[in-house]
Amino acid sequence: MPGGHLATSLALSSVTYYMTGSAEAAAGSFTGGFLIDVDHYLDYIVFERQWRRPGPVSFLRYYFMNRPRKLVLPLHSAELMTVLFAVIAAHPWPLLVGYWVGAAMHLTFDILVNGEVGLTRPFAFYVFSYRFSKRFAAENLVNDVTVSADAGSHPVKDFLLRWRPLDETDTDEAKPRTSTQTA
């Protein structure tokens, strides 16, 4: 649902700027709300070993086809959010406060939307130590989901338009694909 994160982050950063007049807080809320997903790309390159296909279209196709085997995602972490909150309590820098609010929004939407269909334990998934205890293995963290036969064929369009993971309503042309299948 990257398109959804983009839209909500743009809205949040606009509201943040309007309410605070702080460009730093607005930039932080956009970064936390949308650019937090850079850790998916880090996982793709480092843990999925896709450095030979580092382009954004290959990355999007890989994820839309539900192929990740490892889900490290260090920025999607309750532990990091707790540390950042402690730093904010001592030093409420507008950029960091904005980042925290944006990231909290992002993680909330992730739990509500991804947890509905894809995650075995929606709240626990966003605790880094829980993912560590499961060896970051997608097979231990996400449910088998059905993806359409054309998943990944239009990754840029899907990036902008697909706001929810696939569910039972998408099964007319769907075929099962688990997160453990190879590229």
Side-chain angles (χ1 to χ4, degrees), residues 14-176:
S14 297
V15 168
T16 299
Y17 184 75
Y18 177 77
M19 293 184 71
T20 66
S22 169
E24 293 86 2
S29 65
F30 180 78
T31 301
F34 181 66
L35 298 179
I36 187 176
D37 275 341
V38 72
D39 61 359
H40 286 281
Y41 186 71
L42 175 69
D43 281 3
Y44 173 74
I45 295 295
V46 176
F47 301 106
E48 300 289 328
R49 298 184 177 124
Q50 297 295 319
W51 51 81
R52 291 188 177 141
R53 291 178 286 189
V57 173
S58 296
F59 163 69
L60 290 173
R61 184 173 292 119
Y62 192 82
Y63 268 89
F64 283 126
M65 292 174 73
N66 195 31
R67 297 224 172 148
R69 293 179 309 259
K70 294 287 184 183
L71 296 166
V72 178
L73 304 174
L75 299 178
H76 289 68
S77 158
E79 293 91 338
L80 176 62
M81 294 295 285
T82 302
V83 169
L84 291 177
F85 189 79
V87 172
I88 288 168
H91 304 285
W93 297 307
L95 182 70
L96 191 56
V97 171
Y99 176 88
W100 194 91
V101 170
M105 176 191 71
H106 180 104
L107 297 176
T108 299
F109 286 148
D110 274 1
I111 290 168
L112 293 174
V113 177
N114 296 340
E116 185 179 299
V117 225
L119 302 175
T120 57
R121 297 196 52 210
F123 290 102
F125 180 86
Y126 294 94
V127 176
F128 189 82
S129 56
Y130 172 75
R131 290 194 308 273
F132 176 78
S133 75
K134 301 294 182 183
R135 298 177 328 272
F136 304 110
E139 65 191 24
N140 299 327
L141 298 166
V142 297
N143 297 320
D144 288 342
V145 294
T146 301
V147 297
S148 67
D150 69 341
S153 60
H154 299 84
V156 175
K157 177 180 150 193
D158 288 344
F159 173 84
L160 295 171
L161 300 177
R162 184 169 295 282
W163 291 27
R164 295 177 53 85
L166 299 174
D167 60 20
E168 294 76 29
T169 61
D170 298 318
T171 57
D172 17 331
E173 345 170 343
K175 63 179 181 180

